[in-house]
């Protein structure tokens, strides 16, 4: 693969979802990897009043963004990495306790509660579909604390409120284990983007300020 050094100016960058025309690899640090979170399949036998996959995805997305090294994106712009997986086990056992109250759409009670979750997480190179690594993640909380129910029919997206429950804490434990593993891999993963258009003296790539691209950075550019 032939390579040339090209200095890109932030003023000519464009975030786009066009089909990639080539690959660019950052020669300097300080950049954030783009990552997309796929829906995790609930392959456990647990079925409750709230959606386990949605709760896992919300906490995972929040934790990935808090690392400072990753930025989660939607479908419009192709991400460099994809995280997906299966929830293989979830249990929530409730003992006796006190009365219920509401937190933004959740019915919550102060009852004894044990929550446990097992998840298999896969890190995928989105351009090739190759699984780069996998990690088994585990979380368990067993103590008197908040018990979660759905006051309005499902997970409302209130991540902060959900994390106060034992179920939320167990999921957060497993998520943190997976996110720490992912971050530990990044030093061995070249940061990449795609050249989507060359027009005269201007070069457009599908990475920008969101991913930490700044004026004067130098990239290796070549055919993929």
């Amino acid at each position: 693969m032939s390579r040339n050094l090209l200095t890109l100016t932030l003023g000519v960058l464009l975030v786009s979802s066009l089909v990639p025309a080539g690959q660019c690899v950052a020669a300097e640090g300080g950049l954030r990897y783009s990552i997309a979170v796929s829906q995790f399949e609930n392959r456990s036998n647990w079925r409750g009043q709230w959606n386990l996959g949605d709760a896992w995805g919300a906490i995972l997305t929040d934790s990935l963004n808090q690392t400072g090294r990753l930025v989660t994106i939607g479908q419009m712009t192709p991400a460099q990495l994809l995280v997906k997986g299966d929830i293989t086990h979830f249990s929530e056992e409730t003992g006796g306790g006190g009365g219920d109250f509401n937190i933004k759409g959740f019915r919550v009670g102060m009852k004894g509660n044990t929550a446990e979750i097992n998840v298999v997480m896969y890190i995928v190179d989105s351009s090739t579909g190759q699984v780069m690594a996998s990690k088994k993640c585990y979380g368990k909380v067993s103590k008197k604390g908040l018990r979660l129910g759905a006051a309005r029919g499902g997970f409302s997206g209130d991540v902060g409120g959900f994390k106060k429950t034992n179920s939320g804490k167990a999921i957060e434990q497993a998520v943190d284990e997976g996110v720490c593993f992912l971050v530990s891999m990044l030093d061995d993963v070249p940061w990449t983007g795609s050249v989507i258009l060359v027009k005269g003296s201007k070069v457009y790539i599908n990475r920008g300020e969101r991913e930490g691209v700044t004026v004067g950075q130098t990239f290796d550019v070549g055919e993929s």
Side-chain angles (χ1 to χ4, degrees):
M1 177 175 65
S2 61
R3 288 189 177 277
N4 297 300
L5 282 179
L6 174 67
T7 301
L8 300 178
T9 303
L10 187 61
V12 304
L13 297 180
L14 174 68
V15 175
S16 171
S17 58
L18 298 177
V19 177
Q23 293 292 320
C24 58
V25 181
E28 299 179 0
L31 296 168
R32 294 185 289 274
Y33 294 77
S34 60
I35 188 167
V37 178
S38 179
Q39 178 73 37
F40 276 62
E41 295 293 331
N42 179 10
R43 301 192 183 280
S44 71
N45 293 323
W46 187 86
R47 298 292 184 273
Q49 293 177 296
W50 49 279
N51 188 292
L52 181 57
D54 288 350
W56 171 270
I59 291 179
L60 176 59
T61 299
D62 182 59
S63 294
L64 289 170
N65 286 328
Q66 289 186 31
T67 64
R69 300 194 63 186
L70 296 156
V71 55
T72 58
I73 63 177
Q75 300 298 318
M76 292 299 294
T77 304
Q80 178 180 347
L81 303 173
L82 172 68
V83 57
K84 62 180 184 178
D86 299 317
I87 302 170
T88 58
H89 170 75
F90 182 79
S91 63
E92 184 184 45
E93 300 176 1
T94 304
D100 290 353
F101 60 98
N102 289 334
I103 297 179
K104 293 185 179 180
F106 298 111
R107 185 176 63 256
V108 180
M110 292 298 295
K111 293 188 176 182
N113 177 269
T114 297
E116 183 177 33
I117 187 169
N118 294 79
V119 177
V120 180
M121 179 186 293
Y122 300 96
I123 312 302
V124 180
D125 183 329
S126 63
S127 63
T128 64
Q130 179 181 359
V131 175
M132 303 169 62
S134 63
K135 174 68 174 176
K136 292 182 179 179
C137 309
Y138 175 73
K140 183 177 182 180
V141 172
S142 180
K143 61 183 179 181
K144 186 172 183 178
L146 298 177
R147 172 185 56 82
L148 178 69
R152 292 198 294 267
F155 178 70
S156 69
D158 176 27
V159 177
F162 183 69
K163 285 182 178 180
K164 295 176 182 178
T165 70
N166 283 346
S167 293
K169 291 174 183 177
I171 291 175
E172 188 173 23
Q173 279 185 8
V175 163
D176 287 347
E177 188 175 342
V179 170
C180 287
F181 171 73
L182 171 56
V183 170
S184 72
M185 294 175 48
L186 293 181
D187 289 340
D188 297 323
V189 178
W191 183 95
T192 66
S194 296
V195 176
I196 57 174
L197 180 66
V198 178
K199 190 175 182 179
S201 62
K202 295 183 178 180
V203 177
Y204 297 82
I205 67 173
N206 66 343
R207 303 287 183 256
E209 288 180 286
R210 178 184 57 191
E211 290 83 14
V213 177
T214 58
V215 173
Q217 285 179 322
T218 300
F219 297 84
D220 291 336
V221 180
E223 294 294 331
S224 58

